[in-house]
Amino acid sequence: EAQVTQNPRYLITVTGKKLTVTCSQNMNHEYMSWYRQDPGLGLRQIYYSMNVEVTDKGDVPEGYKVSRKEKRNFPLILESPSPNQTSLYFCASSFTSGNSYEQYFGPGTRLTVT
Amino acid sequence: AQTVTQSQPEMSVQEAETVTLSCTYDTSESNYYLFWYKQPPSRQMILVIRQEAYKQQNATENRFSVNFQKAAKSFSLKISDSQLGDTAMYFCAFMSYGNKLVFGAGTILRVKS
């Protein structure tokens, strides 16, 4: 089954404790992206990657890091989480060419930073 | 920068009736894509319908259709014969080059029996 997986689905942590949210896709997509969802703001892009070893900032990159060492994986790293990073996070992937531009979303990760 | 505006934070509709959700966007691009996503209580993002800006014909998917007005930069979603399972948050989204999706703030739709 074609899918994007994220782990963990739920996470409660404390300020300053490094964490990683994993994202993996099995569709051989070049493009992967992270979004955060906050009430009244919709989804906003954090970071994206056009292919292996190619990453760039989105609209709200402060406090986050990413890496793309393999095509299928795109982890989101919070090195020193703060309460304002409490949010719902989505990973998404798609092809970058042709007519297959639809983005497939993971199930979301609910993060609470206390 | 592109922006997407959904002016209706919440809406409600009776089962079997028709409802229209509004969306406007701002861009200087001529080639782009527009989407409506549904987010039920499970939080999963589900693509409802998409529209390519170069196509004049409005997209339809079963009970879902759009009214795409390119000059007015408007992209509304019409849901016909509303069902209880349509209760969800609906997001309008824009995409041009680089695959980046820009989302509106969302509209909560409640379908009442």
Side-chain angles (χ1 to χ4, degrees):
Chain A
E1 179 189 358
Q3 60 181 351
V4 179
T5 57
Q6 293 179 227
N7 282 291
R9 297 286 311 278
Y10 302 89
L11 180 59
I12 301 174
T13 189
V14 296
T15 299
K17 186 178 181 180
K18 181 179 179 179
L19 67 91
T20 299
V21 183
T22 64
C23 173
S24 183
Q25 50 93 7
N26 62 1
M27 295 167 279
N28 202 34
H29 287 160
E30 300 92 357
Y31 179 87
M32 297 186 75
S33 180
W34 278 102
Y35 298 88
R36 62 177 286 173
Q37 180 181 348
D38 302 291
L41 297 176
L43 283 77
R44 294 175 293 167
Q45 189 182 58
I46 302 170
Y47 268 95
Y48 67 96
S49 170
M50 298 299 286
N51 214 322
V52 177
E53 302 291 358
V54 181
T55 63
D56 207 348
K57 297 177 180 178
D59 294 323
V60 287
E62 294 77 19
Y64 304 94
K65 285 178 58 177
V66 294
S67 68
R68 187 91 181 271
K69 293 183 171 61
E70 302 168 287
K71 197 171 187 178
R72 64 184 294 126
N73 296 323
F74 190 46
L76 179 69
I77 303 158
L78 285 72
E79 297 215 330
S80 183
S82 61
N84 64 13
Q85 293 178 298
T86 292
S87 188
L88 177 60
Y89 292 85
F90 287 98
C91 180
S93 71
S94 70
F95 292 112
T96 56
S97 61
N99 293 324
S100 299
Y101 48 81
E102 177 183 345
Q103 290 197 21
Y104 292 77
F105 282 81
T109 295
R110 169 70 71 185
L111 173 65
T112 302
V113 183
T114 61
Chain B
Q2 292 91 357
T3 58
V4 177
T5 301
Q6 294 179 248
S7 57
Q8 305 149 317
E10 295 187 29
M11 294 191 71
S12 63
V13 63
Q14 287 295 128
E15 200 174 5
E17 292 188 348
T18 296
V19 64
T20 298
L21 309 184
S22 302
C23 173
T24 58
Y25 58 95
D26 187 24
T27 184
S28 58
E29 302 287 334
S30 58
N31 190 26
Y32 50 87
Y33 305 93
L34 295 162
F35 306 87
W36 279 98
Y37 282 89
K38 172 184 178 181
Q39 188 181 52
S42 67
R43 303 199 309 260
Q44 180 68 44
M45 294 291 286
I46 301 166
L47 179 63
V48 174
I49 198 165
R50 60 186 168 207
Q51 174 81 43
E52 292 88 347
Y54 65 85
K55 291 185 178 179
Q56 292 188 337
Q57 187 173 7
N58 289 325
T60 62
E61 288 286 345
N62 300 315
R63 297 183 295 107
F64 299 87
S65 61
V66 298
N67 183 3
F68 173 48
Q69 301 289 329
K70 191 171 184 179
K73 297 181 181 175
S74 171
F75 183 60
S76 61
L77 174 70
K78 185 172 82 170
I79 306 175
S80 304
D81 187 25
S82 297
Q83 301 175 359
L84 295 177
D86 295 332
T87 292
M89 173 80 87
Y90 287 82
F91 290 101
C92 178
F94 169 99
M95 184 176 77
S96 61
Y97 64 92
N99 289 55
K100 175 184 173 182
L101 282 168
V102 178
F103 288 86
T107 296
I108 298 173
L109 176 67
R110 295 185 175 87
V111 180
K112 300 178 179 179
S113 59

